[in-house]
Amino acid sequence: LEGAIDLQEVRIWYDPATLLPRLAMQVDVSGDETFVRLKNIRVDNQIDDADMTLIDTDRPAPPTWAVQTHPFREPAAAIQSNAGGE
């Protein structure tokens, strides 16, 4: 890919209350670290078709990446309703 960077690690930190991303860190193959603080995040904004062409949400095919998938926890309301023994 044109402009692609070889990375050895990417981490994303989330706000535990909203689950919105707050901070991203990448480490390139030379060990250089880059941090990006995300602020003024807007939810449910419309993205036009031109911008959508810049976004690729497909899972990378191994062996390009070591993919770790973790199940998402239940929403707080579901956990509370299940706490009653239902």
Side-chain angles (χ1 to χ4, degrees), residues 3-40:
I5 307 169
D6 286 330
L7 301 174
Q8 66 180 19
E9 183 177 354
V10 174
R11 291 185 183 197
I12 301 173
W13 284 264
Y14 295 90
D15 179 319
T18 64
L19 297 177
L20 291 173
R22 303 305 298 157
L23 179 74
M25 179 203 64
Q26 69 182 31
V27 181
D28 68 21
V29 292
S30 68
D32 290 340
E33 297 178 348
T34 302
F35 290 85
V36 177
R37 181 174 166 238
L38 305 170
K39 62 184 208 174
N40 300 328

Side-chain angles (χ1 to χ4, degrees), residues 48-67:
D48 63 36
D49 291 338
D51 287 339
M52 282 303 292
T53 63
L54 303 173
I55 300 171
D56 179 3
T57 59
D58 292 334
R59 178 184 284 189
T64 307
W65 290 80
V67 176

Side-chain angles (χ1 to χ4, degrees), residues 72-86:
F72 184 71
R73 65 175 169 76
E74 291 183 69
I79 293 170
Q80 290 173 352
S81 67
N82 289 334
E86 295 178 21

